[in-house]
Amino acid sequence: MSTDDFERHKVKMAKKKVVRDKIMATKTESKGLVIVHTGKGKGKSSAAFGMIFRCIAHEIPSAVVQFIKGGMSTGERDLIQEHFSDRCKFFTMGEGFTWETQDKERDILMTRRAWDLSKQLIANPEIKMVLLDEINISLRYGYLPVEEVVEFLTEHKPEDTHVILTGRNASEQLIEIADLATEMELLKHPFRSGVKAQKGIEF
C-alpha cells in the first residue's frame, strides 16, 4: 500500500470513530438480560459457557442448570466444579436425551425439578447470571409449558439478573421477550462426514 492509501485509511477510521463514539454515548442503560441461543448450528451452549466463564473471571456469582445432558463428564462441568464452585453453582438435572431415556413421564418429572431449581437460582439476589442449558429442548417436547417460563422471566426475574436459555427450536414466545436472541446457522458439521463427538469440541 502507498502512503496515500495509509492516510486515506487513517482519515476514514477517524471519521468512523467519531460516529461510533456518538452512538456509544447514547448507550447508558444497564439491566439483566434474557438471552436466547438457538438454531441448528453448533455453538449454543459453548457461547453460553463463554459468558459463564466471563462471570467467573469477574467474580460475578453465577449458576448453571442442565436440563438434558446426563451424567456424562464434560470439560466445562469438570472445570467449574473442581476449580470455581465458589463462584458458579452447577446442576446437571437431566438424564440424557429423550431418545436415550425413552420415558416421557420421567423426563417431565426431571424437567419440573430442573425448572423449580432454576426459579430459585434466578430469584436469588446473590446470583447474577443463570444458564438454563438445553431448556429449549424440554420446552419443544412439551415437558414444561413455555407460557410458565415466559411469565416467570417477565414478572419475577430480578432486574439485574441475566438468564441464558439454550437449545434448538426456541419458541417464538421466548424470542419475543428476549433482549438478545441468536440463531446459530449450520453450514458444515463433521458429524455428517462420520466424525464422532470429540473431547474438547463437543464436551
Side-chain angles (χ1 to χ4, degrees):
M1 293 180 70
S2 68
T3 301
D4 287 344
D5 289 332
F6 285 118
E7 286 301 319
R8 280 194 294 270
H9 176 78
K10 184 176 181 180
V11 171
K12 182 179 178 181
M13 292 301 106
K15 290 179 179 178
K16 181 172 285 191
K17 183 180 186 320
V18 170
V19 174
R20 292 293 301 170
D21 287 347
K22 286 182 179 179
I23 293 173
M24 295 305 292
T26 67
K27 313 303 180 186
T28 59
E29 184 178 358
S30 179
K31 59 174 286 190
L33 305 177
V34 173
I35 301 167
V36 175
H37 291 173
T38 192
K40 295 181 179 180
K42 177 174 168 48
K44 298 175 287 293
S45 293
S46 300
F49 275 106
M51 293 184 182
I52 288 293
F53 282 113
R54 283 177 179 164
C55 285
I56 289 172
H58 290 297
E59 300 187 0
I60 298 171
S62 56
V64 176
V65 180
Q66 293 189 307
F67 277 72
I68 299 296
K69 294 182 177 73
M72 173 184 172
S73 175
T74 63
E76 57 268 22
R77 185 175 69 191
D78 292 347
L79 181 64
I80 290 172
Q81 290 184 331
E82 290 176 18
H83 300 285
F84 304 110
S85 59
D86 58 327
R87 301 183 191 180
C88 180
K89 301 178 184 298
F90 206 113
F91 304 92
T92 300
M93 305 295 290
E95 297 181 325
F97 289 98
T98 53
W99 55 85
E100 294 175 342
T101 61
Q102 301 174 17
D103 186 342
K104 185 173 183 178
E105 184 177 3
R106 184 159 181 81
D107 286 341
I108 292 173
L109 174 63
M110 298 305 292
T111 297
R112 172 54 60 184
R113 289 178 178 174
W115 175 236
D116 288 343
L117 173 62
S118 299
K119 289 189 290 183
Q120 295 176 30
L121 294 168
I122 294 169
N124 185 338
E126 295 183 0
I127 297 175
K128 298 305 178 184
M129 177 175 283
V130 181
L131 166 55
L132 309 181
D133 193 32
E134 305 287 12
I135 188 175
N136 292 336
I137 295 175
S138 296
L139 295 173
R140 180 193 179 194
Y141 282 108
Y143 298 160
L144 181 68
V146 65
E147 294 81 7
E148 182 177 341
V149 175
V150 168
E151 190 273 338
F152 183 83
L153 293 177
T154 55
E155 301 296 331
H156 303 288
K157 180 186 77 66
E159 290 187 4
D160 60 348
T161 299
H162 306 295
V163 178
I164 314 173
L165 306 96
T166 72
R168 293 186 178 198
N169 303 111
S171 74
E172 289 298 323
Q173 292 165 275
L174 268 183
I175 293 173
E176 180 66 26
I177 68 163
D179 299 287
L180 172 61
T182 301
E183 183 173 10
M184 310 295 186
E185 182 179 357
L186 176 63
L187 298 179
K188 295 180 73 175
H189 198 295
F191 186 76
R192 292 181 172 180
S193 302
V195 179
K196 67 180 181 179
Q198 300 179 84
K199 185 181 294 185
I201 303 297
E202 276 80 24
F203 59 91

